[in-house]
Amino acid sequence: MSLLADLGLEQEPAPTHPVLELRGAARTFPGPPEVQALKPTDLRIERGDYVSIVGPSGSGKSTLLHLLGLLDRPTAGEYLVDGIPTVAASEDERAVLRGESIGFVFQAFHLLDRRTVLDNVLLATLYSGVPRHERRERALAALDRVGLSHRVDFHPGVLSGGERQRVAVARAVVADPRVLLADEPTGNLDTVSSAAVLELFDELHGEGLTLVVITHDMSVADRAQRRVRITDGTLVEL
Amino acid sequence: MSAATGVRTRAEVHARDRFGVRDLVAEAAAGIGTRPGRLLLTILGTVLGICSLVVTIGMAQTAAGQIARQFDAVAATQVVIQPRTQGWGEGPALATIPWDAEERMLRLNGIEHAGAIADVSIGEVSISAVSVRDPSAVATVQPIVIGATGGLLDAVRGTVTTGRFFDSGHDARADRVVVLGARAAARLGVHRVDRQPSIFIGERPYAVIGIIDGVARRGDLLDAVILPLGTARADFGVDRLAQVHARIAVGAGPLVAEQAPVALDPRTPDGFEVQVPPTSSLVRERVQGDVNAIFLALGAVALLVGGLGIANVTLLSVMERTGEIGLRRALGATRRQIGAQFLLESVVIGLLGGLIGAALGVGAVVAVSVLREWTPIVSTPMVIGSALLGGVIGLLAGVYPALKAATIEPIAALRSTA
């Protein structure tokens, strides 16, 4: 890429686009009574950002997460992923974009208990266009990255909560997403495991990954360089 | 991807790296393989359905084959030709069977053995083993006397118990020899022929050269004293033949029926009445059709139950795996890919049930055949078709659960903290 840039042939428009961008995006749930879960919002998340979104339950956190994760569409405004408008895209196109651009980490881990740790990580490579011959190699590398090389053939059921969440992180990053979207990543973990996962986030951020962490826990939120508070559907930078 | 909406992927991904058939099969196999206990219960209905289908069709085929074989053995290869008579009763015959009928018949294709028979009238004289008139003897029913050509025995499937049957030489020389039917021999007290016993028809002695048995087609021959035709003509003035019997190749009936009258007498072919067996395939089809209709209905009911079982369990599985479906959607799976996975799982389950059921069914047909000493007849296309039918049932049963799986919203699925 740098060679292309030196030659002035840089085709990637990325530097001028935020990774994620909400432009006046709002989400209204039809009533009665009609609920405006997210008021018209502008949000830019740049490459390499580590953003935490905090707010009490019912504040619109989940709605925001679903919009950012392409799991839901805004009822007004536009949402761009890497400069690509997504609101009018078809469901299939959004699924493909989701697979390639966004890595999810959930509070409940969402691992398949009957598949091995390696299979769970490989699952994310199936739908995201990772070259077939690289899949296994990359999954093993991702597990090595989160420090679980010795658990490759285990089933998630026998792992600790912290280990499970690290498997989920490996699964989220294996397809080389633009952004890692974590929803209460420490919600089901004890303090030691939480610390380990947050440590891992710091390291990934240090390696250039863009992170968005949604949480109600201020101690988690404070790890991020940029914090956004959401209250009654309105975003405020802290 | 699509210029219309402006959505493009980071780099156009090569088709072989997309979620393809290989991935689909691998995921479906993993989905099935993770719950072997449930798999067993799920395929049970299909196994039973396909098994009963194969057993019923297989048993029908075997039984029909058995029946057809019995027909073949006796009726399906036997032909009788006799002159038609005028009117309904005892009018004059419309045609005459030539004396060389046996040779004429043997020239035709499909005829394996042929022989002619003439009724012999011996008048008031009696038949006995000794030429002594015993006034105190109880009057008994006389054996009938028949003139025949040398080929008759084979034509009516007779067997020689002892001695031999006469041949064309006896016939040509008008030798005074007879062959006795088994019951006639017993009545006359002749049990062996090595001491050259004789019987008397009236005053004339005839050497007994053989005793026959096992005449399947004309049981009355067992009660008969059989003379060579030449002897019957010379001694009793027999002036015409009554019947021609022939044993034919399986399936040659229609051909023989058409050609035999012309061969016997080209001038009056319409004067003969030919009794040929119905073609064996007709017999078989008729029997098989009746049996199959009932059995197929039973198999269909069993399959319906099996299909509903698969649909039920697959639907349950979809509900259970809501979280997994939501996760896959979050990881970038399209609705179509989710639906295809569950549909394929259902097809594989059905196919598995079909294969096991077909194998069990074939085994059952063979086992029953062994016990009853039948020849098992199971057509290969039927067995393969049955196994594939299991897959089709899985496909049909999987449609609704697959549609259900495809419409699951990832948000709702991921909210459940399963």
Side-chain angles (χ1 to χ4, degrees):
Chain A
M1 223 36 111
S2 59
L3 181 65
L4 288 174
D6 290 346
L7 293 170
L9 294 173
E10 175 66 83
Q11 295 293 307
E12 188 83 11
T16 60
H17 291 292
V19 177
L20 306 178
E21 182 178 13
L22 291 173
R23 282 186 193 159
R27 180 64 168 100
T28 307
F29 292 98
E34 196 179 80
V35 179
Q36 196 165 33
L38 187 70
K39 302 212 166 66
T41 300
D42 291 309
L43 177 68
R44 289 166 67 95
I45 294 171
E46 303 291 346
R47 190 167 299 259
D49 270 1
Y50 185 175
V51 182
S52 65
I53 296 169
V54 288
S57 53
S59 60
K61 280 203 312 283
S62 294
T63 304
L64 184 59
L65 170 85
H66 294 150
L67 290 182
L68 292 177
L70 290 170
L71 297 172
D72 197 7
R73 291 175 203 249
T75 43
E78 181 59 273
Y79 173 44
L80 299 100
V81 176
D82 219 16
I84 301 167
T86 63
V87 170
S90 76
E91 195 58 42
D92 281 2
E93 288 166 339
R94 286 164 59 90
V96 169
L97 193 62
R98 183 161 65 225
E100 290 178 351
S101 308
I102 296 162
F104 286 95
V105 173
F106 303 99
Q107 177 177 6
F109 317 137
H110 284 294
L111 299 174
L112 304 185
D113 285 339
R114 291 171 183 275
R115 308 288 289 273
T116 64
V117 164
L118 180 62
D119 277 353
N120 268 286
V121 177
L122 279 172
L123 201 62
T125 67
L126 291 182
Y127 304 104
S128 51
V130 175
R132 198 175 289 275
H133 61 277
E134 289 179 20
R135 287 178 185 173
R136 195 181 158 80
E137 200 181 313
R138 278 173 68 168
L140 289 170
L143 282 167
D144 190 40
R145 179 69 197 81
V146 299
L148 287 175
S149 294
H150 57 301
R151 294 280 191 257
V152 165
D153 292 323
F154 283 54
H155 283 78
V158 300
L159 302 184
S160 73
E163 285 176 322
R164 287 191 224 184
Q165 196 58 298
R166 275 147 64 196
V167 173
V169 172
R171 183 182 62 196
V173 299
V174 71
D176 190 19
R178 288 185 179 81
V179 57
L180 188 147
L181 209 53
D183 179 19
E184 300 280 8
T186 59
N188 279 357
L189 301 181
D190 58 41
T191 49
V192 177
S193 300
S194 296
V197 168
L198 292 175
E199 189 67 31
L200 186 57
F201 280 3
D202 286 345
E203 289 170 23
L204 290 169
H205 176 234
E207 290 163 18
L209 186 67
T210 310
L211 285 106
V212 176
V213 178
I214 293 177
T215 182
H216 68 278
D217 185 342
M218 280 312 292
S219 66
V220 173
D222 287 342
R223 301 288 284 252
Q225 48 171 224
R226 182 180 161 202
R227 279 163 291 154
V228 177
R229 175 179 292 281
I230 180 166
T231 316
D232 293 334
T234 310
L235 288 184
V236 184
E237 294 272 350
L238 290 179
Chain B
M1 294 292 282
S2 157
T5 53
V7 174
R8 284 169 290 107
T9 54
R10 188 159 19 171
E12 280 304 328
V13 175
H14 198 285
R16 69 162 178 265
D17 296 325
R18 286 254 166 251
F19 185 83
V21 176
R22 271 167 68 181
D23 301 311
L24 179 62
V25 171
E27 287 305 298
I32 295 166
T34 49
R35 291 177 177 273
R38 171 177 297 183
L39 175 65
L40 213 62
L41 286 177
T42 311
I43 64 173
L44 201 58
T46 321
V47 168
L48 290 177
I50 296 290
C51 180
S52 67
L53 196 71
V54 171
V55 168
T56 49
I57 296 179
M59 286 316 298
Q61 285 174 337
T62 301
Q66 202 63 26
I67 292 164
R69 221 167 55 151
Q70 282 162 1
F71 272 112
D72 288 351
V74 188
T77 58
Q78 211 68 37
V79 169
V80 180
I81 303 166
Q82 57 193 21
R84 241 182 257 280
T85 53
Q86 204 161 34
W88 295 103
E90 295 288 309
L94 294 175
T96 311
I97 299 175
W99 295 110
D100 60 348
E102 184 177 321
E103 288 143 49
R104 288 175 186 242
M105 289 293 282
L106 285 173
R107 278 186 221 127
L108 299 179
N109 275 335
I111 295 206
E112 291 171 347
H113 300 282
I117 277 184
D119 296 321
V120 178
S121 169
I122 57 169
E124 291 300 306
V125 301
S126 65
I127 299 170
S128 62
V130 286
S131 70
V132 176
R133 186 171 295 271
D134 180 3
S136 65
V138 180
T140 54
V141 178
Q142 294 278 350
I144 57 170
V145 181
I146 278 174
T149 59
L152 180 73
L153 185 72
D154 286 330
V156 294
R157 289 171 194 273
T159 54
V160 175
T161 312
T162 178
R164 55 167 298 191
F165 202 72
F166 48 74
D167 56 31
S168 52
H170 296 113
D171 194 351
R173 293 189 301 271
D175 287 344
R176 286 198 171 154
V177 295
V178 293
V179 170
L180 302 178
R183 285 202 292 269
R187 201 183 305 164
L188 290 168
V190 179
H191 300 292
R192 44 197 298 190
V193 296
D194 52 350
R195 285 182 297 188
Q196 300 182 325
S198 292
I199 60 160
F200 294 86
I201 302 176
E203 301 297 327
R204 254 176 263 153
Y206 292 83
V208 179
I209 60 170
I211 297 173
I212 61 164
D213 201 353
V215 183
R217 184 65 175 170
R218 274 201 61 159
D220 60 339
L221 288 183
L222 295 180
D223 289 312
V225 172
I226 305 163
L227 299 167
L229 192 58
T231 314
R233 288 170 71 187
D235 291 356
F236 298 98
V238 168
D239 59 350
R240 61 192 158 98
L241 289 167
Q243 282 182 334
V244 176
H245 283 267
R247 202 160 118 194
I248 60 170
V250 177
L255 183 74
V256 170
E258 192 186 326
Q259 294 182 343
V262 182
L264 289 177
D265 189 349
R267 291 165 303 170
T268 57
D270 293 340
F272 294 104
E273 184 185 323
V274 185
Q275 297 168 8
V276 291
T279 50
S280 60
S281 62
L282 259 177
V283 175
R284 189 174 302 165
E285 275 166 22
R286 212 172 294 150
V287 173
Q288 205 165 319
D290 291 348
V291 179
N292 285 5
I294 300 165
F295 286 155
L296 280 177
L298 288 172
V301 171
L303 279 182
L304 188 67
V305 174
L308 286 175
I310 294 183
N312 203 6
V313 177
T314 308
L315 196 59
L316 182 70
S317 166
V318 167
M319 296 306 166
E320 260 184 9
R321 289 158 68 183
T322 301
E324 176 189 332
I325 293 165
L327 173 72
R328 285 177 188 271
R329 297 273 286 128
L331 292 177
T334 61
R335 292 184 190 282
R336 193 185 305 265
Q337 287 164 349
I338 296 291
Q341 182 186 339
F342 280 89
L343 194 61
L344 189 65
E345 284 187 20
S346 179
V347 168
V348 171
I349 289 171
L351 203 56
L352 214 54
L355 285 171
I356 297 174
L360 288 179
V362 171
V365 171
V366 170
V368 170
S369 298
V370 166
L371 285 178
R372 311 196 68 166
E373 295 183 351
W374 287 354
T375 311
I377 299 174
V378 183
S379 72
T380 314
M382 188 274 287
V383 174
I384 295 172
S386 299
L388 293 180
L389 181 63
V392 172
I393 285 165
L395 180 73
L396 295 178
V399 168
Y400 178 67
L403 287 176
K404 203 82 179 162
T407 52
I408 284 176
E409 286 295 336
I411 296 173
L414 292 169
R415 193 172 294 145
S416 67
T417 52

